[in-house]
Amino acid sequence: MATKEELEELYDDCQETPDYVKVALGAFEIGEKEWAEEVYEEGADWAGSAQDFLAMSIGAKKILGDDARASEYFEQAKGACSSADDMVALADACAADGDKETARELFTGAADKVQKAAQFLALAQKINDSLGDKELAAQISARGKEQCKTPADFAELAKGLAKDFGDEAGAQDVLSSAVDACKTGDDFAAIAAAAAELFPKSDLGIQLFKEAEEKIPSGLDMGGLAKAAATTLGDKEYAKVLFNKAQEMLTSGDDLTKLAGLVQESLDDKAMVASIYQKAVSYESDAGKIVTVATKMADELGDIDGAVAVLRQAENAVKSNAEFEKVADAILKYASDPQWKEDIAVQKEKRAANGPLYEELIKKEGEAESAAALRKLAKEVMTATGDKPYTRKLLANSAKTTHFFGEGMELAGIIVDDLGDREWGEKVYEDLLQKADDFVSKKNIAAALKEKVGDEVKTREIFTSLEEEATDAAGYLKVGAAVCSVLDDKDWVRSLYKEAQACCKDDLTKLTVAGNVLRDLHDTSWAAEIYSEIAANCSDQFCAENLFTVVLRQLGDSPVLKQLYQTVEKQMTSASDLFYLGESVIERFQDTAWSGKIFSRAEQGKGYDAVRFKMASARREQVA
């Protein structure tokens, strides 16, 4: 209880009606009734607000003992209320005075003036504290659901209903209604988390998660929901399902990297994190970001092998010397392949010494859209810098988009000639061989293996395979000619041409065999045997002329030709064929005696009448 001196000091500081009433009540308590009434009436001069009139009402009842005047002031206080806080203050006063009906009326009126869910909840708490009326408090609190705008509003309201008023049904209804207000994974997670916290034995939380799963539009939001499933629900298996679903929804390297972070925060599943990082790299073209992923894999997961694989991709994504420097440092830090590290060190040195040149080369690399363009650039790099590792990288990228045989042969040739890498070149040739389905391609591969790679064993294997595939004279002739040009193995060539001869079914093919024998083996005797075989069966001028023409072209003016004429002469019987042969003898050998004998046989031959005039003319020319 304050003394009069203390009250006098308070009086000197009075500025508002409640200040005067407080001093007046203090004076009344110490028996200074007259002074109390003076101070009270002085405070009435300043009254204007609901709080002022409420103070005057309290003073009228206690100091003056005037209930009528107190009621009058209270009505003025009600009329002056401009906010929910004013009405709550009046309601508190009524409740304290035992007038619970009026308090309820004022609390209900205050509810009409609030707009936010938190305000409804605070008001409900006030009703509960002042009146102990849980039913009215729950009703007021439930009205806040209409004002909830964010998931946090709904969660706060639900917690108030459940914890403060025991209204679990209302709280569950609020949380269920909140789903429609959720837009992100964090929103859904907040509501589901509130449900799990308030009703741990209920399936409401998982129901809300399932509903959220169907409505969430983005992968990162799904990742947020998955994290909540792991941390709030404690259901890591369900979290894995949601994280996998999130991964499938994402096609951005940055987003996938963020998702991997969420997984790492929520689950002890390094394999899943590594898988997401690897997928992130597949959507990423920025070398720096790829290096960041590799670093995370190495340092956070301890997955050095995975990190090194990612750095291979980073090396291929370099678009500037600065990016190369970052990639190179990571490779030198994490890689264990001594050759790769040596190659990187070589490139670092060359790029440091020729920065502008390499910037231009990198620019060209970015513009090279075809395998051919990359091969061309590789040649330029090798010529300008002698940088074999960079050349190798360009050729490796060219190989990825090389689809045609000719391009593949060119690629393998550059690999061997410029890089001196016979092993890689042979691998390219062997890959081409697996796809080759025609003789010429296989022959060209065999030749390249012999000439560029120096692998004669493989070359012979290819030709042996081609020999096994041969089924006719043409096939054996092709293999023989190839063996001759590539291996110069005369014994093998002879064997193949023997097979070809055995398969001959017509004179034209036999003549082809004879020509190959002369060209590749220079075996005149063998060719003569083939010619003689044909001549022995040649009985008409058309067969004879074809034989003579081919022999003359293949063998030239040789005694063999005359022998063939003599053999053919024995086979001919008709006047027309003999007449042809006699004229041909004159034309090719200028032997009139021989031709005269042939003409004499023609005069005795069948069909002489048809050529008699021509023959007479020919005889006159001989005589002349």
Side-chain angles (χ1 to χ4, degrees):
M1 182 181 295
T3 64
K4 185 173 182 180
E5 289 76 11
E6 291 173 337
L7 291 173
E8 286 176 341
E9 290 181 7
L10 290 174
Y11 172 76
D12 291 337
D13 294 331
C14 288
Q15 295 182 354
E16 298 179 349
T17 296
D19 299 336
Y20 287 98
V21 173
K22 181 178 181 181
V23 172
L25 289 171
F28 184 77
E29 289 178 359
I30 63 174
E32 294 286 341
K33 184 177 181 184
E34 183 176 350
W35 183 43
E37 290 179 355
E38 290 178 1
V39 174
Y40 173 79
E41 293 298 342
E42 187 177 352
D45 294 336
W46 301 94
S49 69
Q51 296 297 323
D52 294 343
F53 288 121
L54 176 59
M56 294 301 296
S57 176
I58 294 171
K61 182 174 291 189
K62 291 186 177 182
I63 298 172
L64 303 180
D66 189 341
D67 290 343
R69 191 172 179 186
S71 296
E72 180 181 341
Y73 277 129
F74 191 78
E75 290 299 320
Q76 285 183 280
K78 289 170 62 177
C81 284
S82 60
S83 69
D85 290 341
D86 291 340
M87 300 189 79
V88 168
L90 291 182
D92 272 340
C94 290
D97 200 35
D99 188 357
K100 292 189 174 184
E101 288 303 319
T102 302
R104 286 190 182 90
E105 178 185 346
L106 288 167
F107 278 130
T108 303
D112 293 333
K113 291 183 177 293
V114 298
Q115 296 181 340
K116 296 182 179 179
Q119 292 174 320
F120 279 103
L121 192 61
L123 180 58
Q125 184 65 55
K126 196 71 175 176
I127 293 170
N128 192 46
D129 294 343
S130 298
L131 300 178
D133 190 340
K134 290 187 177 294
E135 182 179 354
L136 177 61
Q139 291 175 3
I140 297 299
S141 180
R143 286 179 62 184
K145 184 175 73 172
E146 301 172 2
Q147 305 302 323
C148 290
K149 303 299 182 184
T150 67
D153 293 339
F154 283 99
E156 183 181 3
L157 180 59
K159 289 177 182 179
L161 287 171
K163 292 182 176 180
D164 298 333
F165 311 119
D167 185 3
E168 293 190 353
Q172 291 187 6
D173 179 61
V174 168
L175 291 175
S176 297
S177 301
V179 173
D180 292 333
C182 294
K183 296 180 180 178
T184 69
D186 289 342
D187 290 346
F188 283 109
I191 296 301
E197 176 187 343
L198 296 175
F199 312 108
K201 296 182 180 181
S202 167
D203 62 355
L204 177 62
I206 191 65
Q207 288 177 2
L208 291 173
F209 269 90
K210 292 290 186 182
E211 189 169 349
E213 182 184 351
E214 296 301 319
K215 292 186 176 183
I216 284 179
S218 78
L220 279 182
D221 287 333
M222 187 68 73
L225 187 67
K227 180 181 177 182
T231 56
T232 303
L233 286 182
D235 190 340
K236 294 190 175 183
E237 289 304 314
Y238 181 44
K240 287 182 180 180
V241 171
L242 293 177
F243 276 128
N244 281 325
K245 192 169 185 178
Q247 184 180 172
E248 292 172 0
M249 297 169 72
L250 294 174
T251 56
S252 159
D254 282 341
D255 288 346
L256 283 161
T257 300
K258 292 175 183 175
L259 181 65
L262 292 176
V263 175
Q264 196 163 4
E265 293 170 14
S266 311
L267 304 174
D268 182 20
D269 193 336
K270 292 184 177 181
M272 177 179 282
V273 176
S275 173
I276 295 173
Y277 276 139
Q278 287 165 357
K279 183 178 179 182
V281 171
S282 70
Y283 287 104
E284 189 57 71
S285 60
D286 184 283
K289 291 181 180 179
I290 297 176
V291 170
T292 298
V293 171
T295 302
K296 287 179 178 291
M297 293 179 72
D299 296 344
E300 297 175 8
L301 303 180
D303 184 3
I304 302 298
D305 290 342
V308 168
V310 168
L311 288 174
R312 293 280 186 186
Q313 295 175 256
E315 182 185 11
N316 209 37
V318 166
K319 296 182 179 65
S320 69
N321 283 333
E323 285 187 0
F324 177 82
E325 188 75 17
K326 186 174 183 180
V327 173
D329 289 343
I331 291 171
L332 294 174
K333 179 178 180 181
Y334 297 114
S336 59
D337 183 341
Q339 185 60 58
W340 189 19
K341 295 174 76 170
E342 181 182 336
D343 289 347
I344 289 297
V346 168
Q347 290 187 75
K348 281 192 70 174
E349 181 180 349
K350 287 184 176 293
R351 289 170 191 251
N354 303 279
L357 172 60
Y358 271 88
E359 289 290 357
E360 182 63 28
L361 292 172
I362 293 171
K363 179 182 177 182
K364 290 182 178 181
E365 181 182 356
E367 295 170 350
E369 297 181 351
S370 67
L374 286 168
R375 289 196 301 275
K376 180 180 178 182
L377 181 59
K379 297 284 286 184
E380 181 179 346
V381 168
M382 194 63 189
T383 301
T385 69
D387 188 337
K388 286 189 175 183
Y390 189 18
T391 301
R392 178 181 296 276
K393 171 195 166 185
L394 293 169
L395 292 175
N397 287 337
S398 175
K400 294 174 184 176
T401 55
T402 295
H403 305 296
F404 301 106
F405 180 81
E407 288 188 325
M409 292 294 289
E410 182 182 348
L411 173 65
I414 295 174
I415 290 170
V416 175
D417 294 341
D418 290 4
L419 294 181
D421 191 335
R422 294 177 182 276
E423 183 177 349
W424 184 15
E426 184 166 13
K427 177 64 169 59
V428 175
Y429 286 130
E430 288 177 350
D431 289 343
L432 290 171
L433 184 62
Q434 293 297 320
K435 301 174 184 176
D437 58 3
D438 65 280
F439 179 88
V440 173
S441 297
K442 293 178 181 179
K443 173 200 169 185
N444 290 339
I445 294 170
L449 286 168
K450 169 70 166 52
E451 297 166 11
K452 291 187 175 296
V453 179
D455 189 346
E456 184 172 324
V457 173
K458 186 64 178 179
T459 300
R460 287 182 175 275
E461 288 177 1
I462 294 173
F463 284 136
T464 298
S465 175
L466 291 172
E467 179 180 3
E468 291 171 354
E469 294 173 4
T471 58
D472 56 17
Y476 287 110
L477 285 170
K478 286 195 298 184
V479 178
V483 169
C484 184
S485 64
V486 176
L487 296 174
D488 194 29
D489 186 335
K490 301 299 186 183
D491 290 338
W492 193 0
V493 175
R494 181 175 296 276
S495 172
L496 288 164
Y497 287 164
K498 287 289 186 183
E499 293 289 346
Q501 184 180 5
C503 293
C504 287
K505 296 181 179 180
D506 56 67
D507 292 344
L508 180 59
T509 306
K510 292 177 181 178
L511 288 170
T512 304
V513 172
N516 281 27
V517 166
L518 285 169
R519 182 193 66 206
D520 298 337
L521 301 177
H522 309 293
D523 192 335
T524 305
S525 297
W526 185 5
E529 290 176 7
I530 297 173
Y531 298 146
S532 296
E533 181 182 336
I534 297 171
N537 295 299
C538 192
S539 60
D540 63 74
Q541 56 185 299
F542 302 107
C543 172
E545 182 58 28
N546 181 61
L547 172 62
F548 301 150
T549 301
V550 171
V551 171
L552 190 62
R553 182 175 67 246
Q554 293 179 348
L555 196 58
D557 189 7
S558 165
V560 173
L561 182 62
K562 191 169 186 178
Q563 293 172 6
L564 295 175
Y565 265 83
Q566 292 169 346
T567 300
V568 169
E569 179 185 357
K570 295 175 183 178
Q571 313 304 319
M572 289 184 172
T573 58
S574 75
S576 176
D577 293 332
L578 288 166
F579 174 64
Y580 145 77
L581 188 63
E583 286 198 317
S584 183
V585 165
I586 295 173
E587 180 182 352
R588 288 200 169 107
F589 303 106
Q590 293 80 45
D591 190 334
T592 55
W594 184 11
S595 66
K597 293 177 182 179
I598 295 173
F599 286 148
S600 295
R601 283 189 61 205
E603 290 173 354
Q604 306 301 318
K606 184 179 179 180
Y608 170 69
D609 290 343
V611 296
R612 64 186 301 174
F613 294 109
K614 292 181 180 179
M615 189 173 294
S617 175
R619 284 223 183 243
R620 284 195 296 272
E621 290 179 2
Q622 279 185 301
V623 174

